[in-house]
């Protein structure tokens, strides 16, 4: 019996965001936008969804008088990501 | 990237790999810090060797250039933190290692400047002193200040520590090799005169920081050209 894939992560942009954040301590919103080739609006919506389920933390502050958003994966997010990868490996038998 | 595109399992795994790779390729150390420290420590050590070898002294202590390098280093760290778009897990651990290294070097310098005078006072209180006596009686006996022979060896030993940690954590072979060279030079310096210890210290600084710094700078410039 295969595990069901986490619907939050099984979406292109959200999975891309989580994959970026899993390998760093924290990343700027602009960095994520650049690496995922997404638009700011689109990315904001997906980041909010990840935040709502507690997978990431979003820190909004000001840097040199400009708004600056930083994203960071949470322990819940790490667990969900690991489970997702395990489930994928089961599907693909790798 | 479309927001809600559903992926196949294979596509998901490929996307995860691609994103992790993108992060890996996006971070490049400019190597300015290692270049700066490698240069100043090598110059200070080499000039100290020349002073002892050719019996001359500069009107100032050459090691002040190492202290002077702290200012551009602070500016660099400040600039980097402004432009840095990601923070890696190992960044804070490595910063702590380099902070401990700086404190250790400061502690050693303090030891060197304080202990000889303190030891001399204690000896005087106990009613004895250190006298330099030529075995062949070619010169009259001379009262000297207490000193630790070959003390610069300790600095060479400590140069290797943060360099090896950084090299291992970042899997950066030039720094690992540099640290190994520093440890070998430390052992050699235990058998050499103080003036040669300074020369070995200059070589250690070049191996630990200057050469890795140049390699990092070349890699960074190459990556910059690729991204343009």
């Amino acid at each position: 019996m295969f595990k069901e894939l986490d619907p939050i992560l099984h979406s292109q942009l959200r999975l891309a965001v989580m994959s970026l954040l899993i390998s760093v301590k924290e990343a700027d919103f602009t960095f994520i936008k650049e690496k995922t080739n997404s638009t700011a609006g689109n990315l904001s919506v997906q980041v909010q969804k990840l935040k709502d389920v507690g997978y990431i933390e979003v820190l909004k502050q000001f840097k040199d008088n400009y708004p600056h958003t930083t994203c960071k994966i949470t322990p819940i997010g790490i667990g969900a990501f690991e489970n997702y990868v395990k489930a994928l490996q089961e599907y693909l038998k790798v | 990237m479309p927001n809600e595109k559903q992926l196949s399992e294979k596509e998901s795994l490929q996307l995860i790999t691609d994103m992790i790779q993108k992060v890996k390729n996006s971070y490049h150390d400019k190597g300015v810090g290692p270049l700066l420290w490698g240069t100043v420590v090598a110059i200070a050590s080499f000039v100290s060797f020349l002073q002892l070898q050719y019996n001359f002294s500069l009107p100032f202590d050459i090691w002040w250039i190492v202290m002077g390098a702290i200012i551009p280093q602070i500016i660099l760290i400040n600039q980097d933190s402004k432009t840095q778009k990601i923070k890696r897990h190992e960044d804070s651990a490595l910063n702590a290692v380099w902070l401990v290294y700086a404190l250790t070097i400061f502690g050693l310098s303090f030891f060197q400047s304080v202990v000889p005078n303190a030891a001399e006072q204690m000896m005087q209180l106990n009613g004895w002193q250190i006298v330099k006596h030529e075995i062949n009686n070619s010169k009259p006996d001379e009262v000297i200040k207490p000193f630790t022979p070959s003390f610069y060896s300790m600095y060479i030993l400590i140069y290797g520590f943060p360099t090896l940690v950084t090299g291992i954590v970042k899997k950066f072979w030039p720094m690992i090799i540099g640290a190994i060279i520093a440890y070998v030079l430390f052992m050699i310096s235990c058998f050499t005169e103080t003036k040669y210890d300074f020369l070995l210290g200059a070589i250690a600084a070049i191996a630990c920081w200057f050469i890795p710094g140049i390699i990092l700078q070349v890699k960074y410039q190459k990556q910059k050209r690729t991204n343009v």
Side-chain angles (χ1 to χ4, degrees), chain B residues 11-176:
Chain B
E11 282 173 333
S12 294
L13 214 53
Q14 188 56 48
L15 178 65
I16 293 168
T17 315
D18 290 348
M19 285 299 143
I20 292 173
Q21 198 56 41
K22 273 188 181 179
V23 173
K24 221 174 163 186
N25 294 339
S26 67
Y27 186 87
H28 284 280
D29 194 334
K30 292 176 195 162
V32 181
L35 260 175
L36 177 71
W37 287 107
T39 308
V40 292
V41 174
I43 290 173
S45 302
F46 190 63
V47 170
S48 299
F49 161 73
L50 292 177
Q51 287 185 125
L52 291 170
Q53 176 73 11
Y54 298 106
N55 276 323
F56 72 95
S57 58
L58 292 173
F60 62 96
D61 186 349
I62 188 66
W63 288 93
W64 280 107
I65 65 163
V66 178
M67 299 297 282
I70 292 172
I71 299 159
Q73 180 70 18
I74 291 168
I75 295 169
L76 282 172
I77 291 170
N78 208 18
Q79 275 178 348
D80 264 6
S81 67
K82 275 183 187 169
T83 54
Q84 216 176 23
K85 289 180 175 176
I86 50 170
K87 269 191 194 159
R88 300 184 140 207
H89 294 288
E90 67 261 29
D91 287 347
S92 27
L94 285 178
N95 287 344
V97 168
W98 283 94
L99 177 70
V100 171
Y101 161 77
L103 290 172
T104 310
I105 292 288
F106 176 77
L108 273 184
S109 312
F110 183 74
F111 174 91
Q112 253 186 312
S113 60
V114 167
V115 167
N117 288 331
E120 193 178 31
Q121 281 174 8
M122 275 186 264
M123 285 171 195
Q124 278 173 358
L125 279 174
N126 289 315
W128 61 283
Q129 59 192 11
I130 297 178
V131 174
K132 184 180 166 189
H133 172 72
E134 299 280 341
I135 296 167
N136 58 7
N137 289 318
S138 59
K139 283 180 192 169
D141 287 354
E142 183 191 339
V143 176
I144 56 165
K145 268 194 174 191
F147 68 101
T148 314
S150 207
F151 196 74
Y152 194 66
S153 299
M154 292 294 124
Y155 285 89
I156 301 174
L157 175 66
I158 290 164
Y159 292 163
F161 151 67
T163 313
L164 187 60
V165 176
T166 308
I168 291 171
V169 170
K170 291 193 168 181
K171 295 183 183 75
F172 185 49
W173 274 99
M175 276 197 168
I176 296 175

Side-chain angles (χ1 to χ4, degrees), chain A residues 10-12 14 19-20 24-28 31 34-37 42 46 49 63 84 88 92, chain B residues 1-7 9 12-13 15-16 19 22-23 26 81-82 85-87 89 92:
Chain A
H10 201 55
S11 136
Q12 193 174 13
R14 288 196 294 268
S19 305
L20 282 179
V24 294
K25 196 177 171 190
E26 58 184 53
D28 282 8
F31 175 83
E34 188 187 303
K35 295 295 165 192
T36 54
N37 293 323
N42 193 356
Q46 304 312 320
K49 282 186 184 172
K63 209 174 179 180
Y84 180 80
L88 276 184
L92 296 166
Chain B
M1 193 175 274
N3 57 350
E4 289 292 344
K5 185 193 166 189
Q6 291 299 311
L7 301 156
E9 289 75 23
S12 294
L13 214 53
L15 178 65
I16 293 168
M19 285 299 143
K22 273 188 181 179
V23 173
S26 67
S81 67
K82 275 183 187 169
K85 289 180 175 176
I86 50 170
K87 269 191 194 159
H89 294 288
S92 27

Side-chain angles (χ1 to χ4, degrees), chain B residues 168-204:
Chain B
I168 291 171
V169 170
K170 291 193 168 181
K171 295 183 183 75
F172 185 49
W173 274 99
M175 276 197 168
I176 296 175
I177 295 166
I180 293 168
I181 292 172
Y183 287 126
V184 172
L185 292 172
F186 156 71
M187 282 187 269
I188 297 170
S189 75
C190 296
F191 301 96
T192 55
E193 266 182 66
T194 302
K195 66 177 174 186
Y196 295 115
D197 294 351
F198 283 113
L199 194 58
L200 295 172
I203 299 169

Side-chain angles (χ1 to χ4, degrees), chain A residues 5-74:
Chain A
L5 289 171
D6 184 341
I8 293 289
L9 293 181
H10 201 55
S11 136
Q12 193 174 13
L13 187 49
R14 288 196 294 268
L15 182 61
V17 172
M18 289 293 281
S19 305
L20 282 179
L21 293 178
I22 197 85
S23 45
V24 294
K25 196 177 171 190
E26 58 184 53
D28 282 8
F29 184 85
T30 49
F31 175 83
I32 302 170
K33 183 172 152 279
E34 188 187 303
K35 295 295 165 192
T36 54
N37 293 323
S38 54
T39 61
N42 193 356
L43 182 61
S44 291
V45 174
Q46 304 312 320
V47 161
Q48 190 57 45
K49 282 186 184 172
L50 289 168
K51 190 190 164 196
D52 290 344
V53 290
Y55 287 1
I56 65 168
E57 272 173 34
V58 180
L59 183 68
K60 289 183 181 184
Q61 54 192 354
F62 280 89
K63 209 174 179 180
D64 295 331
N65 293 326
Y66 288 97
H68 180 248
T69 306
T70 311
C71 300
K72 188 181 177 180
I73 198 162
T74 62

Side-chain angles (χ1 to χ4, degrees), chain A residues 1-5 83 86-93, chain B residues 9:
Chain A
M1 182 73 183
F2 288 121
K3 273 188 205 170
E4 199 188 327
L5 289 171
N83 287 336
K86 267 184 212 159
L88 276 184
Q89 285 170 335
E90 275 176 33
Y91 273 103
L92 296 166
K93 293 191 177 106
Chain B
E9 289 75 23

